[in-house]
Amino acid sequence: AGADGVQLAGTRESLIAILVSEIRNPGVPGYSEDLKARVRFPVEIIREIKAACGKDFPVMIRISAVEYMADGYGIDYSMRVAKELVDAGVDAIDVVQAGFSTQVPQLQMVVPPGAFAHYSRAIKSYLASSGAPYNKVVIMNACRIQNPWIAASLLHNGDCDIVSVCRELIADPEWPNKIKAGHIDEIVPCTGCVWCMRSSSCAVNPQSPFYKSAEQMKGV
């Protein structure tokens, strides 16, 4: 397809996240018995992509650092998962948290900007302390990073190597370009209203190219 790399959806309610989970894995034989079995699915995907596209083709994966569910795993478990993914050949790990089924707010405006950066820092520190090749993997962080000052502080503090911006790009697709051009005052910030979670539009950018109606999709 001509892509420069690929990121696997390994978090929240994705199939990878469910199989990796100790409590949500339905008991699939060969993919549920222990940690190595539970990470077998993403490990096989990473290895097969590398085999098909070459070792230099960047493969990233987004993982949940914690589940925020009764008896769900915590940061210690996700650290071990991250190490297995590096062994499989992953180049970057995008650290978020939990799933949408939890009652813990993650995207809403009540959550302080950059509130979950300590999870990416924990995984980054753990892998760095393990030496090569674990200290070579790029650690990313996402969730509630809606302004350049938060992004810069995360990088400056060593919470992550790359800031992964998601809903802010729905609110303002020109976010990176405005920062680069020094037009920070023109940024339309994501307010954390999560209107995007229950509709097909953005409250501050209803014409966002991320969402297109059936009428708009005609001829695309």
Side-chain angles (χ1 to χ4, degrees):
D4 297 317
V6 64
Q7 184 180 75
L8 306 178
T11 186
R12 300 188 166 126
E13 279 68 46
S14 69
L15 179 57
I16 291 177
I18 290 172
L19 290 177
V20 168
S21 172
E22 295 175 291
I23 62 172
R24 293 189 290 164
N25 188 306
V28 181
Y31 292 87
S32 60
E33 292 76 9
D34 54 21
L35 175 66
K36 286 192 176 291
R38 287 189 289 272
V39 300
R40 177 182 167 188
F41 185 51
V43 162
E44 289 180 339
I45 294 174
I46 293 167
R47 288 176 176 167
E48 288 299 320
I49 292 175
K50 288 289 187 177
C53 301
K55 292 183 178 181
D56 294 334
F57 184 75
V59 178
M60 301 160 281
I61 185 169
R62 173 169 283 193
I63 67 170
S64 295
V66 293
E67 284 191 292
Y68 285 146
M69 300 173 70
D71 299 321
Y73 68 75
I75 188 65
D76 290 341
Y77 182 82
S78 58
M79 287 177 180
R80 294 163 57 204
V81 169
K83 200 169 186 179
E84 295 289 336
L85 299 175
V86 176
D87 284 336
V90 79
D91 300 290
I93 300 175
D94 194 2
V95 181
V96 294
Q97 63 291 319
F100 296 127
S101 56
T102 178
Q103 296 300 305
V104 177
Q106 299 168 64
L107 308 173
Q108 292 87 335
M109 61 180 69
V110 296
V111 179
F116 302 105
H118 59 287
Y119 290 131
S120 59
R121 174 186 277 272
I123 291 178
K124 178 178 170 63
S125 298
Y126 173 72
L127 293 177
S129 67
S130 301
Y134 309 104
N135 59 351
K136 303 296 183 182
V137 68
V138 174
I139 300 299
M140 306 162 69
N141 182 247
C143 202
R144 293 294 288 147
I145 304 172
Q146 79 276 45
N147 69 66
W149 299 282
I150 291 296
S153 67
L154 297 184
L155 298 173
H156 179 74
N157 295 335
D159 294 312
C160 57
D161 302 305
I162 293 178
V163 170
S164 181
V165 182
C166 304
R167 280 167 179 77
E168 176 53 44
L169 293 180
I170 303 176
D172 190 344
E174 293 298 314
W175 191 83
N177 294 329
K178 288 178 180 177
I179 295 173
K180 186 177 180 179
H183 299 158
I184 296 177
D185 291 342
E186 297 178 11
I187 290 175
V188 179
C190 169
T191 62
C193 69
V194 294
W195 181 252
C196 57
M197 296 295 293
R198 55 186 180 273
S199 72
S200 59
S201 64
C202 171
V204 297
N205 182 14
Q207 294 182 325
S208 172
F210 188 83
Y211 295 102
K212 292 183 182 296
S213 66
E215 193 67 29
Q216 290 173 311
M217 286 299 291
K218 289 183 180 180
V220 175

